[in-house]
Amino acid sequence: MELSYWEYKSWLSDIDYTVVGSGIVGLSCALHLKQTFPKAKVLVVEKGILPQGASTKNAGFACFGSISEILDDLQNHSEDEVLGLVEKRYKGIQLLRKQLGDKALGYQKGSGHELFLQKDKALYDHCLESLEAINKLVSPIFGPNTFVKLSNTYGFNKVVDHYITNPMEGQIDTGDMVLSLLRKVQELGVLVLSGVSVEAYENTLDGVRICTQEFEFKSSKLLIATNGFASKILGDLVKPARAQVLITEPIADLHIQGTFHLDKGYYYFRNVGNRILLGGGRNLDFKAEETTEFGQTSLVQDHLEYLLKEVILPGKSFTIASRWSGIMGVGPQKKPIIKELSDGVYCGVRLGGMGIAIGSIVGKELAEIAQ
Ligand SMILES: Cc1cc2nc3c(=O)[nH]c(=O)nc-3n(C[C@H](O)[C@H](O)[C@H](O)COP(=O)(O)OP(=O)(O)OC[C@H]3O[C@@H](n4cnc5c(N)ncnc54)[C@H](O)[C@@H]3O)c2cc1C
């Protein structure tokens, strides 16, 4: 791509901070940099026409961890670590709400329910037995008796007759969240270039040389927020994990409201107005879903439709309006990686399945380590 003197001068010279990736982490990072250093030249480069990872594809749960997930995490993490993870999610949502406002975010407080399939009755019993202890553990964040047992008033089928519910959870409008973040950073003077893929970088004496598929430029600092795609630039730090989703057409008299975790969190669904959005099913073939390729498989999509028909909307007719996928970044630990990679080069990646909850804080922390 041939660039003019003017194009280089206005867009690509004297850059203080280049952020790679315009998902929630990259945009939150750019926002924090510009709020801290209003005079700094901050550039965000994004390989997609729209952000093309997880931030515009996700289910929009403002969630902090279901009871079975917290119990599962306690197998591999200390109590302090688990409490830290839950607290970070809670504070992340508070920060996002503060930065954008509930209206722009489409934030709605509503309960988050965990459902247990009848085949998982033993897990349900274990969660019930642990209810008091888990409530005590998370009480410094939410206050006493957060998780409660509620009866199956929505009439789900093939599940045990109670949910375990966290009334502190909520849902957001995923598209509006990223659009509002984009507007906000651009209003503050951040430059956002779409369709630019960073292929490599090299430390130089006075900063970092950044090579894209079309051109090269220099920046004082480089901040990488490419999450599921991070292995392209960073090697094996993060594994991609595709997640598939579908949404129904509007359903007459739909009374289901809130966010729902099903089958140990492998499936999740919520209402979007009078539609149902349902995602998950990576556990059906982890290997096939360890990919940065977008797309759907009949194995996963058929099972999502089975769950809609048999468990979520028994006896109701529905039509699927659309299907899509997103790419997450996962690893053996749930903690995100926020670190300096070399002089002036930093990353904030591996957000897992909770990136909406923690993305704003990870972006802020990424900006802070680069100052
Ligand atoms: C289907 C699905 C459902 C989910 N549901 C929830 C939920 O309900 N609640 C929740 O908290 N989390 C959820 N998540 C997880 C959450 O969406 C992610 O953790 C979060 O969006 C990650 O944000 P990010 O900014 O780190 O990454 P991304 O949003 O993936 O952003 C990375 C960006 O970097 C760009 N990029 C990559 N490589 C390059 C390159 N070389 N050059 C330039 N740009 C590049 C990508 O195009 C992308 O836009 C879900 C994820 C998926 C996929």
mmCIF file of all heavy atoms in Angstrom, residues 20-26 45-48 51-63 196-199 225-229 232-233 243-245 268 324 326-328 348 351-357, ligand 1:
data_model
loop_
_atom_site.group_PDB
_atom_site.id
_atom_site.type_symbol
_atom_site.label_atom_id
_atom_site.label_comp_id
_atom_site.label_asym_id
_atom_site.label_seq_id
_atom_site.Cartn_x
_atom_site.Cartn_y
_atom_site.Cartn_z
ATOM 1 N N VAL A 20 -2.947 -2.830 19.745
ATOM 2 C CA VAL A 20 -3.377 -3.775 18.709
ATOM 3 C C VAL A 20 -4.625 -4.500 19.197
ATOM 4 O O VAL A 20 -4.590 -5.174 20.231
ATOM 5 C CB VAL A 20 -2.269 -4.812 18.392
ATOM 6 C CG1 VAL A 20 -2.651 -5.625 17.152
ATOM 7 C CG2 VAL A 20 -0.931 -4.143 18.200
ATOM 8 N N GLY A 21 -5.734 -4.350 18.448
ATOM 9 C CA GLY A 21 -6.985 -5.019 18.809
ATOM 10 C C GLY A 21 -7.994 -4.026 19.344
ATOM 11 O O GLY A 21 -7.692 -3.270 20.284
ATOM 12 N N SER A 22 -9.193 -3.985 18.739
ATOM 13 C CA SER A 22 -10.218 -3.051 19.221
ATOM 14 C C SER A 22 -11.375 -3.788 19.886
ATOM 15 O O SER A 22 -12.539 -3.444 19.707
ATOM 16 C CB SER A 22 -10.719 -2.153 18.083
ATOM 17 O OG SER A 22 -11.461 -2.920 17.157
ATOM 18 N N GLY A 23 -11.039 -4.820 20.660
ATOM 19 C CA GLY A 23 -12.032 -5.442 21.537
ATOM 20 C C GLY A 23 -12.130 -4.628 22.816
ATOM 21 O O GLY A 23 -11.559 -3.534 22.932
ATOM 22 N N ILE A 24 -12.839 -5.179 23.789
ATOM 23 C CA ILE A 24 -13.047 -4.433 25.043
ATOM 24 C C ILE A 24 -11.721 -4.081 25.715
ATOM 25 O O ILE A 24 -11.563 -2.989 26.275
ATOM 26 C CB ILE A 24 -13.990 -5.216 26.004
ATOM 27 C CG1 ILE A 24 -14.306 -4.380 27.243
ATOM 28 C CG2 ILE A 24 -13.435 -6.561 26.395
ATOM 29 C CD1 ILE A 24 -15.359 -4.996 28.156
ATOM 30 N N VAL A 25 -10.728 -4.969 25.630
ATOM 31 C CA VAL A 25 -9.449 -4.685 26.309
ATOM 32 C C VAL A 25 -8.693 -3.566 25.590
ATOM 33 O O VAL A 25 -8.251 -2.591 26.224
ATOM 34 C CB VAL A 25 -8.574 -5.964 26.401
ATOM 35 C CG1 VAL A 25 -7.192 -5.629 26.945
ATOM 36 C CG2 VAL A 25 -9.246 -7.003 27.282
ATOM 37 N N GLY A 26 -8.559 -3.682 24.265
ATOM 38 C CA GLY A 26 -7.817 -2.662 23.510
ATOM 39 C C GLY A 26 -8.459 -1.292 23.658
ATOM 40 O O GLY A 26 -7.772 -0.285 23.904
ATOM 41 N N VAL A 45 -5.052 -0.221 16.197
ATOM 42 C CA VAL A 45 -5.170 -0.894 14.897
ATOM 43 C C VAL A 45 -5.933 -2.207 15.082
ATOM 44 O O VAL A 45 -5.707 -2.945 16.033
ATOM 45 C CB VAL A 45 -3.793 -1.154 14.224
ATOM 46 C CG1 VAL A 45 -3.198 0.130 13.710
ATOM 47 C CG2 VAL A 45 -2.835 -1.864 15.142
ATOM 48 N N GLU A 46 -6.820 -2.464 14.136
ATOM 49 C CA GLU A 46 -7.737 -3.614 14.232
ATOM 50 C C GLU A 46 -7.744 -4.331 12.889
ATOM 51 O O GLU A 46 -7.934 -3.702 11.859
ATOM 52 C CB GLU A 46 -9.138 -3.091 14.597
ATOM 53 C CG GLU A 46 -10.280 -4.048 14.354
ATOM 54 C CD GLU A 46 -10.156 -5.373 15.100
ATOM 55 O OE1 GLU A 46 -9.928 -5.365 16.322
ATOM 56 O OE2 GLU A 46 -10.276 -6.432 14.430
ATOM 57 N N LYS A 47 -7.574 -5.633 12.913
ATOM 58 C CA LYS A 47 -7.486 -6.354 11.627
ATOM 59 C C LYS A 47 -8.837 -6.468 10.925
ATOM 60 O O LYS A 47 -8.902 -6.554 9.711
ATOM 61 C CB LYS A 47 -6.863 -7.728 11.818
ATOM 62 C CG LYS A 47 -7.728 -8.780 12.471
ATOM 63 C CD LYS A 47 -6.972 -10.111 12.494
ATOM 64 C CE LYS A 47 -7.591 -11.095 13.456
ATOM 65 N NZ LYS A 47 -8.965 -11.477 13.233
ATOM 66 N N GLY A 48 -9.931 -6.473 11.672
ATOM 67 C CA GLY A 48 -11.246 -6.611 11.045
ATOM 68 C C GLY A 48 -11.812 -5.274 10.585
ATOM 69 O O GLY A 48 -11.290 -4.219 10.939
ATOM 70 N N PRO A 51 -14.582 -4.904 14.953
ATOM 71 C CA PRO A 51 -13.780 -5.753 15.842
ATOM 72 C C PRO A 51 -14.125 -7.227 15.562
ATOM 73 O O PRO A 51 -15.295 -7.574 15.441
ATOM 74 C CB PRO A 51 -14.236 -5.333 17.239
ATOM 75 C CG PRO A 51 -14.786 -3.959 17.061
ATOM 76 C CD PRO A 51 -15.353 -3.894 15.679
ATOM 77 N N GLN A 52 -13.117 -8.075 15.418
ATOM 78 C CA GLN A 52 -13.368 -9.453 14.960
ATOM 79 C C GLN A 52 -12.791 -10.487 15.901
ATOM 80 O O GLN A 52 -11.919 -11.271 15.517
ATOM 81 C CB GLN A 52 -12.769 -9.645 13.560
ATOM 82 C CG GLN A 52 -13.643 -9.111 12.458
ATOM 83 C CD GLN A 52 -15.022 -9.763 12.442
ATOM 84 O OE1 GLN A 52 -15.151 -10.959 12.219
ATOM 85 N NE2 GLN A 52 -16.061 -9.000 12.730
ATOM 86 N N GLY A 53 -13.236 -10.484 17.155
ATOM 87 C CA GLY A 53 -12.752 -11.510 18.076
ATOM 88 C C GLY A 53 -13.912 -12.047 18.891
ATOM 89 O O GLY A 53 -14.696 -12.862 18.384
ATOM 90 N N ALA A 54 -14.016 -11.561 20.130
ATOM 91 C CA ALA A 54 -15.085 -12.019 21.021
ATOM 92 C C ALA A 54 -15.964 -10.879 21.508
ATOM 93 O O ALA A 54 -17.130 -11.093 21.836
ATOM 94 C CB ALA A 54 -14.475 -12.734 22.227
ATOM 95 N N SER A 55 -15.412 -9.655 21.541
ATOM 96 C CA SER A 55 -16.132 -8.572 22.242
ATOM 97 C C SER A 55 -17.446 -8.187 21.589
ATOM 98 O O SER A 55 -18.338 -7.675 22.261
ATOM 99 C CB SER A 55 -15.230 -7.344 22.374
ATOM 100 O OG SER A 55 -14.118 -7.658 23.165
ATOM 101 N N THR A 56 -17.577 -8.401 20.270
ATOM 102 C CA THR A 56 -18.842 -8.081 19.597
ATOM 103 C C THR A 56 -19.637 -9.346 19.279
ATOM 104 O O THR A 56 -20.615 -9.302 18.538
ATOM 105 C CB THR A 56 -18.567 -7.339 18.274
ATOM 106 O OG1 THR A 56 -17.582 -8.095 17.568
ATOM 107 C CG2 THR A 56 -18.064 -5.939 18.502
ATOM 108 N N LYS A 57 -19.196 -10.477 19.804
ATOM 109 C CA LYS A 57 -19.845 -11.753 19.446
ATOM 110 C C LYS A 57 -20.463 -12.435 20.664
ATOM 111 O O LYS A 57 -21.098 -13.477 20.520
ATOM 112 C CB LYS A 57 -18.798 -12.740 18.896
ATOM 113 C CG LYS A 57 -17.815 -12.160 17.898
ATOM 114 C CD LYS A 57 -18.419 -12.088 16.528
ATOM 115 C CE LYS A 57 -17.359 -11.729 15.502
ATOM 116 N NZ LYS A 57 -17.945 -11.466 14.196
ATOM 117 N N ASN A 58 -20.174 -11.907 21.865
ATOM 118 C CA ASN A 58 -20.463 -12.692 23.075
ATOM 119 C C ASN A 58 -21.929 -12.620 23.501
ATOM 120 O O ASN A 58 -22.745 -11.964 22.871
ATOM 121 C CB ASN A 58 -19.542 -12.243 24.211
ATOM 122 C CG ASN A 58 -19.787 -10.825 24.565
ATOM 123 O OD1 ASN A 58 -20.798 -10.484 25.128
ATOM 124 N ND2 ASN A 58 -18.865 -9.944 24.185
ATOM 125 N N ALA A 59 -22.211 -13.280 24.622
ATOM 126 C CA ALA A 59 -23.594 -13.416 25.081
ATOM 127 C C ALA A 59 -24.050 -12.242 25.943
ATOM 128 O O ALA A 59 -25.233 -12.120 26.247
ATOM 129 C CB ALA A 59 -23.727 -14.720 25.863
ATOM 130 N N GLY A 60 -23.114 -11.397 26.367
ATOM 131 C CA GLY A 60 -23.488 -10.208 27.134
ATOM 132 C C GLY A 60 -23.918 -10.475 28.561
ATOM 133 O O GLY A 60 -24.718 -9.725 29.127
ATOM 134 N N PHE A 61 -23.378 -11.528 29.171
ATOM 135 C CA PHE A 61 -23.662 -11.778 30.584
ATOM 136 C C PHE A 61 -22.748 -10.884 31.427
ATOM 137 O O PHE A 61 -21.530 -10.902 31.238
ATOM 138 C CB PHE A 61 -23.331 -13.223 30.983
ATOM 139 C CG PHE A 61 -24.307 -14.263 30.533
ATOM 140 C CD1 PHE A 61 -24.956 -14.168 29.315
ATOM 141 C CD2 PHE A 61 -24.561 -15.370 31.329
ATOM 142 C CE1 PHE A 61 -25.845 -15.147 28.889
ATOM 143 C CE2 PHE A 61 -25.446 -16.361 30.922
ATOM 144 C CZ PHE A 61 -26.087 -16.250 29.701
ATOM 145 N N ALA A 62 -23.331 -10.122 32.331
ATOM 146 C CA ALA A 62 -22.511 -9.412 33.316
ATOM 147 C C ALA A 62 -22.477 -10.312 34.535
ATOM 148 O O ALA A 62 -23.241 -10.144 35.484
ATOM 149 C CB ALA A 62 -23.130 -8.061 33.628
ATOM 150 N N CYS A 63 -21.615 -11.336 34.477
ATOM 151 C CA CYS A 63 -21.686 -12.389 35.503
ATOM 152 C C CYS A 63 -20.357 -12.532 36.245
ATOM 153 O O CYS A 63 -19.309 -12.089 35.767
ATOM 154 C CB CYS A 63 -22.094 -13.711 34.866
ATOM 155 S SG CYS A 63 -21.007 -14.248 33.561
ATOM 156 N N VAL A 196 -6.344 -3.330 9.520
ATOM 157 C CA VAL A 196 -4.876 -3.330 9.612
ATOM 158 C C VAL A 196 -4.452 -4.473 10.531
ATOM 159 O O VAL A 196 -4.765 -4.480 11.728
ATOM 160 C CB VAL A 196 -4.356 -1.989 10.198
ATOM 161 C CG1 VAL A 196 -2.839 -2.028 10.345
ATOM 162 C CG2 VAL A 196 -4.783 -0.826 9.322
ATOM 163 N N SER A 197 -3.748 -5.436 9.954
ATOM 164 C CA SER A 197 -3.328 -6.600 10.739
ATOM 165 C C SER A 197 -1.845 -6.485 11.079
ATOM 166 O O SER A 197 -0.999 -6.351 10.183
ATOM 167 C CB SER A 197 -3.579 -7.865 9.915
ATOM 168 O OG SER A 197 -3.085 -8.972 10.599
ATOM 169 N N VAL A 198 -1.530 -6.511 12.363
ATOM 170 C CA VAL A 198 -0.120 -6.459 12.768
ATOM 171 C C VAL A 198 0.478 -7.859 12.583
ATOM 172 O O VAL A 198 -0.056 -8.845 13.093
ATOM 173 C CB VAL A 198 0.007 -5.981 14.235
ATOM 174 C CG1 VAL A 198 1.444 -6.141 14.725
ATOM 175 C CG2 VAL A 198 -0.429 -4.535 14.344
ATOM 176 N N GLU A 199 1.577 -7.910 11.824
ATOM 177 C CA GLU A 199 2.183 -9.209 11.509
ATOM 178 C C GLU A 199 3.391 -9.490 12.390
ATOM 179 O O GLU A 199 3.693 -10.637 12.691
ATOM 180 C CB GLU A 199 2.618 -9.226 10.031
ATOM 181 C CG GLU A 199 1.487 -8.905 9.050
ATOM 182 C CD GLU A 199 0.448 -10.015 8.987
ATOM 183 O OE1 GLU A 199 0.846 -11.185 8.857
ATOM 184 O OE2 GLU A 199 -0.758 -9.717 9.094
ATOM 185 N N ALA A 225 -3.478 -6.422 22.503
ATOM 186 C CA ALA A 225 -4.733 -6.861 23.142
ATOM 187 C C ALA A 225 -5.493 -7.734 22.143
ATOM 188 O O ALA A 225 -6.634 -7.442 21.790
ATOM 189 C CB ALA A 225 -5.554 -5.639 23.565
ATOM 190 N N THR A 226 -4.838 -8.793 21.679
ATOM 191 C CA THR A 226 -5.420 -9.611 20.602
ATOM 192 C C THR A 226 -5.982 -10.938 21.115
ATOM 193 O O THR A 226 -6.388 -11.788 20.323
ATOM 194 C CB THR A 226 -4.373 -9.875 19.504
ATOM 195 O OG1 THR A 226 -3.230 -10.496 20.109
ATOM 196 C CG2 THR A 226 -3.933 -8.600 18.830
ATOM 197 N N ASN A 227 -5.963 -11.152 22.394
ATOM 198 C CA ASN A 227 -6.602 -12.285 23.074
ATOM 199 C C ASN A 227 -6.478 -13.623 22.342
ATOM 200 O O ASN A 227 -5.397 -14.197 22.293
ATOM 201 C CB ASN A 227 -8.060 -11.929 23.369
ATOM 202 C CG ASN A 227 -8.619 -12.795 24.467
ATOM 203 O OD1 ASN A 227 -7.893 -13.161 25.382
ATOM 204 N ND2 ASN A 227 -9.874 -13.157 24.394
ATOM 205 N N GLY A 228 -7.562 -14.133 21.762
ATOM 206 C CA GLY A 228 -7.541 -15.475 21.159
ATOM 207 C C GLY A 228 -6.596 -15.604 19.972
ATOM 208 O O GLY A 228 -6.258 -16.711 19.555
ATOM 209 N N PHE A 229 -6.167 -14.467 19.433
ATOM 210 C CA PHE A 229 -5.279 -14.479 18.269
ATOM 211 C C PHE A 229 -3.838 -14.204 18.686
ATOM 212 O O PHE A 229 -2.961 -14.019 17.842
ATOM 213 C CB PHE A 229 -5.723 -13.420 17.246
ATOM 214 C CG PHE A 229 -7.155 -13.575 16.850
ATOM 215 C CD1 PHE A 229 -8.167 -12.986 17.594
ATOM 216 C CD2 PHE A 229 -7.514 -14.341 15.749
ATOM 217 C CE1 PHE A 229 -9.499 -13.144 17.254
ATOM 218 C CE2 PHE A 229 -8.833 -14.517 15.395
ATOM 219 C CZ PHE A 229 -9.832 -13.912 16.154
ATOM 220 N N LYS A 232 -0.300 -15.625 17.316
ATOM 221 C CA LYS A 232 0.322 -15.190 16.058
ATOM 222 C C LYS A 232 1.539 -14.301 16.329
ATOM 223 O O LYS A 232 2.555 -14.398 15.658
ATOM 224 C CB LYS A 232 -0.725 -14.412 15.236
ATOM 225 C CG LYS A 232 -0.216 -13.985 13.896
ATOM 226 C CD LYS A 232 -1.334 -13.410 13.059
ATOM 227 C CE LYS A 232 -0.778 -12.861 11.762
ATOM 228 N NZ LYS A 232 -1.765 -12.130 11.003
ATOM 229 N N ILE A 233 1.413 -13.415 17.336
ATOM 230 C CA ILE A 233 2.524 -12.510 17.634
ATOM 231 C C ILE A 233 3.315 -12.992 18.852
ATOM 232 O O ILE A 233 4.507 -12.762 18.947
ATOM 233 C CB ILE A 233 2.014 -11.065 17.899
ATOM 234 C CG1 ILE A 233 1.005 -10.641 16.847
ATOM 235 C CG2 ILE A 233 3.163 -10.064 17.926
ATOM 236 C CD1 ILE A 233 0.402 -9.264 17.079
ATOM 237 N N ALA A 243 -16.378 -20.224 20.267
ATOM 238 C CA ALA A 243 -17.658 -20.459 20.945
ATOM 239 C C ALA A 243 -18.774 -20.138 19.955
ATOM 240 O O ALA A 243 -18.751 -19.081 19.314
ATOM 241 C CB ALA A 243 -17.772 -19.575 22.181
ATOM 242 N N GLN A 244 -19.719 -21.053 19.816
ATOM 243 C CA GLN A 244 -20.802 -20.900 18.845
ATOM 244 C C GLN A 244 -22.096 -20.461 19.542
ATOM 245 O O GLN A 244 -22.369 -20.869 20.668
ATOM 246 C CB GLN A 244 -21.050 -22.226 18.126
ATOM 247 C CG GLN A 244 -19.818 -22.757 17.409
ATOM 248 C CD GLN A 244 -20.107 -24.033 16.642
ATOM 249 O OE1 GLN A 244 -21.184 -24.234 16.094
ATOM 250 N NE2 GLN A 244 -19.109 -24.904 16.574
ATOM 251 N N VAL A 245 -22.865 -19.648 18.818
ATOM 252 C CA VAL A 245 -24.056 -19.031 19.399
ATOM 253 C C VAL A 245 -25.194 -19.068 18.388
ATOM 254 O O VAL A 245 -24.940 -19.059 17.184
ATOM 255 C CB VAL A 245 -23.762 -17.542 19.734
ATOM 256 C CG1 VAL A 245 -24.928 -16.883 20.444
ATOM 257 C CG2 VAL A 245 -22.517 -17.402 20.580
ATOM 258 N N TYR A 268 -24.983 -21.565 27.939
ATOM 259 C CA TYR A 268 -25.482 -20.364 28.589
ATOM 260 C C TYR A 268 -26.570 -19.782 27.708
ATOM 261 O O TYR A 268 -26.485 -19.842 26.472
ATOM 262 C CB TYR A 268 -24.353 -19.339 28.811
ATOM 263 C CG TYR A 268 -23.375 -19.288 27.671
ATOM 264 C CD1 TYR A 268 -23.579 -18.432 26.586
ATOM 265 C CD2 TYR A 268 -22.270 -20.129 27.641
ATOM 266 C CE1 TYR A 268 -22.696 -18.421 25.516
ATOM 267 C CE2 TYR A 268 -21.388 -20.124 26.566
ATOM 268 C CZ TYR A 268 -21.608 -19.271 25.504
ATOM 269 O OH TYR A 268 -20.753 -19.282 24.429
ATOM 270 N N TRP A 324 -23.745 -17.512 14.828
ATOM 271 C CA TRP A 324 -22.415 -16.971 14.630
ATOM 272 C C TRP A 324 -21.450 -17.614 15.611
ATOM 273 O O TRP A 324 -21.838 -18.465 16.418
ATOM 274 C CB TRP A 324 -22.404 -15.444 14.775
ATOM 275 C CG TRP A 324 -22.688 -14.930 16.157
ATOM 276 C CD1 TRP A 324 -21.777 -14.660 17.140
ATOM 277 C CD2 TRP A 324 -23.977 -14.606 16.722
ATOM 278 N NE1 TRP A 324 -22.410 -14.183 18.275
ATOM 279 C CE2 TRP A 324 -23.758 -14.155 18.051
ATOM 280 C CE3 TRP A 324 -25.291 -14.663 16.243
ATOM 281 C CZ2 TRP A 324 -24.797 -13.746 18.882
ATOM 282 C CZ3 TRP A 324 -26.322 -14.258 17.088
ATOM 283 C CH2 TRP A 324 -26.071 -13.808 18.383
ATOM 284 N N GLY A 326 -17.542 -16.771 17.953
ATOM 285 C CA GLY A 326 -16.521 -15.807 18.380
ATOM 286 C C GLY A 326 -15.315 -16.581 18.858
ATOM 287 O O GLY A 326 -15.410 -17.779 19.138
ATOM 288 N N ILE A 327 -14.177 -15.902 18.938
ATOM 289 C CA ILE A 327 -12.943 -16.585 19.344
ATOM 290 C C ILE A 327 -12.475 -16.031 20.689
ATOM 291 O O ILE A 327 -12.217 -14.829 20.817
ATOM 292 C CB ILE A 327 -11.816 -16.378 18.290
ATOM 293 C CG1 ILE A 327 -12.312 -16.707 16.865
ATOM 294 C CG2 ILE A 327 -10.574 -17.195 18.669
ATOM 295 C CD1 ILE A 327 -12.716 -18.144 16.600
ATOM 296 N N MET A 328 -12.368 -16.922 21.664
ATOM 297 C CA MET A 328 -11.876 -16.520 22.990
ATOM 298 C C MET A 328 -10.397 -16.899 23.104
ATOM 299 O O MET A 328 -9.865 -17.622 22.276
ATOM 300 C CB MET A 328 -12.652 -17.253 24.085
ATOM 301 C CG MET A 328 -14.142 -16.998 24.031
ATOM 302 S SD MET A 328 -15.023 -17.802 25.383
ATOM 303 C CE MET A 328 -14.899 -19.514 24.933
ATOM 304 N N GLY A 348 -2.042 -7.682 27.178
ATOM 305 C CA GLY A 348 -3.151 -7.948 28.108
ATOM 306 C C GLY A 348 -4.062 -8.939 27.406
ATOM 307 O O GLY A 348 -4.873 -8.540 26.568
ATOM 308 N N LEU A 351 -8.396 -13.749 28.266
ATOM 309 C CA LEU A 351 -9.541 -13.283 29.073
ATOM 310 C C LEU A 351 -10.534 -14.399 29.379
ATOM 311 O O LEU A 351 -11.454 -14.209 30.170
ATOM 312 C CB LEU A 351 -10.266 -12.161 28.315
ATOM 313 C CG LEU A 351 -9.699 -10.742 28.330
ATOM 314 C CD1 LEU A 351 -10.155 -10.007 29.567
ATOM 315 C CD2 LEU A 351 -8.218 -10.652 28.185
ATOM 316 N N GLY A 352 -10.412 -15.553 28.702
ATOM 317 C CA GLY A 352 -11.328 -16.661 28.963
ATOM 318 C C GLY A 352 -12.771 -16.300 28.652
ATOM 319 O O GLY A 352 -13.044 -15.453 27.793
ATOM 320 N N GLY A 353 -13.691 -16.913 29.373
ATOM 321 C CA GLY A 353 -15.117 -16.713 29.096
ATOM 322 C C GLY A 353 -15.740 -15.592 29.900
ATOM 323 O O GLY A 353 -16.952 -15.444 29.934
ATOM 324 N N MET A 354 -14.899 -14.771 30.543
ATOM 325 C CA MET A 354 -15.432 -13.715 31.421
ATOM 326 C C MET A 354 -14.910 -12.344 31.023
ATOM 327 O O MET A 354 -14.786 -11.458 31.865
ATOM 328 C CB MET A 354 -15.017 -13.988 32.872
ATOM 329 C CG MET A 354 -15.691 -15.163 33.485
ATOM 330 S SD MET A 354 -17.294 -14.666 34.108
ATOM 331 C CE MET A 354 -17.825 -16.202 34.813
ATOM 332 N N GLY A 355 -14.585 -12.194 29.751
ATOM 333 C CA GLY A 355 -13.896 -10.964 29.333
ATOM 334 C C GLY A 355 -14.734 -9.714 29.387
ATOM 335 O O GLY A 355 -14.196 -8.608 29.461
ATOM 336 N N ILE A 356 -16.047 -9.865 29.341
ATOM 337 C CA ILE A 356 -16.877 -8.659 29.462
ATOM 338 C C ILE A 356 -16.796 -8.163 30.901
ATOM 339 O O ILE A 356 -16.697 -6.971 31.159
ATOM 340 C CB ILE A 356 -18.338 -8.977 29.065
ATOM 341 C CG1 ILE A 356 -18.377 -9.331 27.577
ATOM 342 C CG2 ILE A 356 -19.286 -7.831 29.377
ATOM 343 C CD1 ILE A 356 -17.605 -8.405 26.682
ATOM 344 N N ALA A 357 -16.781 -9.137 31.822
ATOM 345 C CA ALA A 357 -16.715 -8.760 33.229
ATOM 346 C C ALA A 357 -15.356 -8.149 33.578
ATOM 347 O O ALA A 357 -15.285 -7.181 34.330
ATOM 348 C CB ALA A 357 -16.996 -9.988 34.095
HETATM 349 C C1 LIG B 1 -19.730 -16.630 22.067
HETATM 350 C C2 LIG B 1 -19.074 -15.959 23.230
HETATM 351 C C3 LIG B 1 -19.822 -15.695 24.375
HETATM 352 C C4 LIG B 1 -19.233 -15.026 25.460
HETATM 353 N N1 LIG B 1 -20.021 -14.644 26.486
HETATM 354 C C5 LIG B 1 -19.495 -13.875 27.480
HETATM 355 C C6 LIG B 1 -20.328 -13.341 28.484
HETATM 356 O O1 LIG B 1 -21.536 -13.535 28.454
HETATM 357 N N2 LIG B 1 -19.762 -12.610 29.487
HETATM 358 C C7 LIG B 1 -18.418 -12.383 29.531
HETATM 359 O O2 LIG B 1 -17.938 -11.744 30.490
HETATM 360 N N3 LIG B 1 -17.610 -12.825 28.543
HETATM 361 C C8 LIG B 1 -18.118 -13.551 27.516
HETATM 362 N N4 LIG B 1 -17.315 -14.008 26.515
HETATM 363 C C9 LIG B 1 -15.878 -13.711 26.570
HETATM 364 C C10 LIG B 1 -15.583 -12.285 26.160
HETATM 365 O O3 LIG B 1 -16.343 -11.927 25.034
HETATM 366 C C11 LIG B 1 -14.083 -12.156 25.849
HETATM 367 O O4 LIG B 1 -13.331 -12.640 26.938
HETATM 368 C C12 LIG B 1 -13.698 -10.687 25.611
HETATM 369 O O5 LIG B 1 -14.521 -10.105 24.640
HETATM 370 C C13 LIG B 1 -12.238 -10.607 25.192
HETATM 371 O O6 LIG B 1 -11.964 -9.275 24.859
HETATM 372 P P1 LIG B 1 -10.589 -8.881 24.205
HETATM 373 O O7 LIG B 1 -10.626 -7.433 23.930
HETATM 374 O O8 LIG B 1 -9.471 -9.418 25.028
HETATM 375 O O9 LIG B 1 -10.521 -9.740 22.859
HETATM 376 P P2 LIG B 1 -11.318 -9.566 21.493
HETATM 377 O O10 LIG B 1 -12.638 -9.008 21.678
HETATM 378 O O11 LIG B 1 -11.209 -10.880 20.801
HETATM 379 O O12 LIG B 1 -10.462 -8.471 20.737
HETATM 380 C C14 LIG B 1 -9.238 -8.764 20.123
HETATM 381 C C15 LIG B 1 -9.206 -7.979 18.826
HETATM 382 O O13 LIG B 1 -7.896 -8.059 18.267
HETATM 383 C C16 LIG B 1 -8.036 -8.099 16.856
HETATM 384 N N5 LIG B 1 -6.792 -8.683 16.350
HETATM 385 C C17 LIG B 1 -6.358 -9.957 16.524
HETATM 386 N N6 LIG B 1 -5.156 -10.133 15.940
HETATM 387 C C18 LIG B 1 -4.808 -8.935 15.387
HETATM 388 C C19 LIG B 1 -3.695 -8.482 14.637
HETATM 389 N N7 LIG B 1 -2.660 -9.300 14.374
HETATM 390 N N8 LIG B 1 -3.678 -7.204 14.203
HETATM 391 C C20 LIG B 1 -4.721 -6.356 14.472
HETATM 392 N N9 LIG B 1 -5.813 -6.739 15.185
HETATM 393 C C21 LIG B 1 -5.856 -8.005 15.636
HETATM 394 C C22 LIG B 1 -9.258 -8.984 16.650
HETATM 395 O O14 LIG B 1 -9.795 -8.804 15.359
HETATM 396 C C23 LIG B 1 -10.168 -8.533 17.780
HETATM 397 O O15 LIG B 1 -11.064 -7.517 17.386
HETATM 398 C C24 LIG B 1 -17.856 -14.685 25.416
HETATM 399 C C25 LIG B 1 -17.098 -14.976 24.283
HETATM 400 C C26 LIG B 1 -17.706 -15.592 23.180
HETATM 401 C C27 LIG B 1 -16.890 -15.865 21.952
#
